[in-house]
Amino acid sequence: MLDQALTALAAAGGTAVVQAAGTDMWTGLRQAVARWFGRGDEQRERAELERLDQAARELEPADEAGAERARVRQEAAWQTRIEALLESLDVAERSRAAEELSVLLAQHTPNRGVSAGDGGQAVAGDVRIEADHGSAAAWNMGNVTLGNPPQPGSHQG
């Protein structure tokens, strides 16, 4: 089982694959991810390129609901594949592979300047929350207070 940092790294890898598909970043990320999975084996690298191409095709559904399901499915699939590879390596190889993946992601994904602490949610872009047909939706925002601020007094200028 991987520690929390490696699981987060694998999740970031899955997200990067999905976000890059169909964009200008795809070619570079696709090659880098295939090379990372190939670990020097050209045949395996070619197989990974085919998997990546298949993933990109699956991320092209016509309707929005289908697109979202495909994104979720592909992110999970690539995270699982990355985790499986990391778990298959001995400690030294795992550490080296994790560092390589971190560098790869830093080089091939845009820095959106978004971060969150433990238990936090960070979003770069829009958040859309819906509830319909009697369902409920919630977003925990911690200690958020909504309302009008007090009017300045005469001593506040």
Side-chain angles (χ1 to χ4, degrees):
M1 182 164 210
L2 298 177
D3 65 29
Q4 195 172 20
L6 291 178
T7 300
L9 179 61
T15 299
V17 167
V18 169
Q19 289 180 346
T23 70
D24 293 341
M25 297 181 304
W26 180 244
T27 302
L29 180 75
R30 175 184 169 269
Q31 288 289 345
V33 168
R35 211 172 16 258
W36 183 81
F37 270 104
R39 317 290 314 144
D41 180 336
E42 288 183 30
Q43 184 175 351
R44 186 169 179 193
E45 187 174 328
R46 281 192 302 276
E48 294 304 327
L49 287 169
E50 290 176 21
R51 281 188 185 96
L52 287 158
D53 290 341
Q54 177 63 34
R57 284 190 295 276
E58 289 182 22
L59 289 165
E60 298 174 355
D63 64 25
E64 191 169 322
E68 181 60 23
R69 282 191 302 273
R71 281 191 295 271
V72 169
R73 189 174 49 253
Q74 286 298 322
E75 279 187 25
W78 285 98
Q79 176 180 348
T80 300
R81 295 196 76 247
I82 293 167
E83 288 174 351
L85 176 67
L86 291 171
E87 286 175 342
S88 74
L89 302 172
D90 67 36
V91 174
E93 290 173 318
R94 182 179 303 147
S95 178
R96 190 168 38 256
E99 179 60 29
E100 291 168 1
L101 183 58
S102 292
V103 169
L104 176 162
L105 294 174
Q107 291 174 342
H108 294 281
T109 58
N111 181 357
R112 295 183 178 208
V114 175
S115 64
D118 292 342
Q121 298 284 334
V123 178
D126 298 335
V127 173
R128 185 172 150 204
I129 301 172
E130 289 184 24
D132 60 0
H133 305 301
S135 64
W139 184 271
N140 183 352
M141 295 183 62
N143 296 325
V144 175
T145 303
L146 301 176
N148 293 324
Q151 295 297 319
S154 59
H155 66 280
Q156 292 176 328

